[in-house]
Amino acid sequence: MATAAKRGRLTTTAEPSAPGHIRLLHSLEAELRRRDPDGAGLDGVDDLDALARQLADTALESTTRWLDHLGLFYDAHGVAQLLGRDGRPVTRQAVSKRKGLLALTTGSGQVVYPAFQFHDRALAPGLAEVLAELPEDVVSRWTVASWLASPQRELDDERPIDVLYEGTPGAVSAVVRAAHAWAGDLAQ
């Protein structure tokens, strides 16, 4: 792809970039302006193409690791369709205000919802109670998602999300107790 500098901004002469690429470029530019306002910090970099490859590898590898660990995600539109009834989706506003729904904000500002919290068009039983034990001022939502999807010693090395779906008496209570204990450990 050919590029040209135009009044201090990078412009492309090929096809337009994907929206995700544009958001990353804007975020990178803002961060560089904040850390290196006059641009002198990159003067000593011999191979900017190698640096760009390294940045892309880091960004995409991180995304792949989260996908491998947490599985797939829905966007607000997908959740609205999933939680709708009789072929009518709920509104996106209803999705964003729904209590007990685990919402994660990506680095680009997009809100996504781990698919593991849904089964048969419904939220995991007891998920709202678990999330209430793990306030955002104590632990990030991404960390909560990771905890839900990781085996926990307190739950006989089962994943909390799997225990919620078991449907056995006391399953929800066991996960709520484990979440409460974990939040207590984090708050110390």
Side-chain angles (χ1 to χ4, degrees):
M1 172 188 345
T3 60
K6 191 177 198 178
R7 292 189 189 160
R9 298 195 62 85
L10 186 64
T11 59
T12 61
T13 57
E15 295 295 317
S17 294
H21 298 169
I22 293 169
R23 287 191 309 271
L24 175 61
L25 289 172
H26 286 293
S27 294
L28 178 60
E29 181 182 25
E31 188 64 21
L32 286 172
R33 286 178 186 268
R34 186 180 69 75
R35 292 185 186 200
D36 184 25
D38 65 358
L42 293 176
D43 288 345
V45 177
D46 291 332
D47 190 349
L48 287 175
D49 290 334
L51 182 60
R53 284 190 300 277
Q54 183 180 14
L55 176 63
D57 286 346
T58 300
L60 296 175
E61 183 179 310
S62 174
T63 300
T64 300
R65 280 193 307 251
W66 278 115
L67 282 171
D68 288 345
H69 181 53
L70 299 179
L72 298 176
F73 298 89
Y74 290 106
D75 62 7
H77 177 75
V79 172
Q81 296 290 326
L82 187 70
L83 296 178
R85 297 289 178 244
D86 300 323
R88 295 179 36 193
V90 298
T91 66
R92 286 188 183 190
Q93 183 179 17
V95 170
S96 67
K97 290 185 176 185
R98 178 109 183 219
K99 292 195 187 292
L101 183 60
L102 180 58
L104 310 174
T105 304
T106 68
S108 64
Q110 181 182 6
V111 178
V112 296
Y113 304 86
F116 66 64
Q117 67 187 310
F118 301 100
H119 182 67
D120 291 335
R121 303 179 66 91
L123 282 170
L127 184 60
E129 295 170 61
V130 172
L131 294 178
E133 292 294 330
L134 302 168
E136 289 186 65
D137 61 334
V138 174
V139 60
S140 82
R141 299 293 89 179
W142 282 94
T143 304
V144 170
S146 180
W147 181 82
L148 285 165
S150 299
Q152 301 299 320
R153 187 177 20 170
E154 301 84 6
L155 300 170
D156 296 327
D157 290 322
E158 289 189 62
R159 298 178 339 147
I161 195 67
D162 295 334
V163 174
L164 290 175
Y165 284 123
E166 282 178 3
T168 59
V172 171
S173 299
V175 177
V176 169
R177 280 192 307 276
H180 180 80
W182 182 48
D185 290 344
L186 292 172
Q188 293 180 5

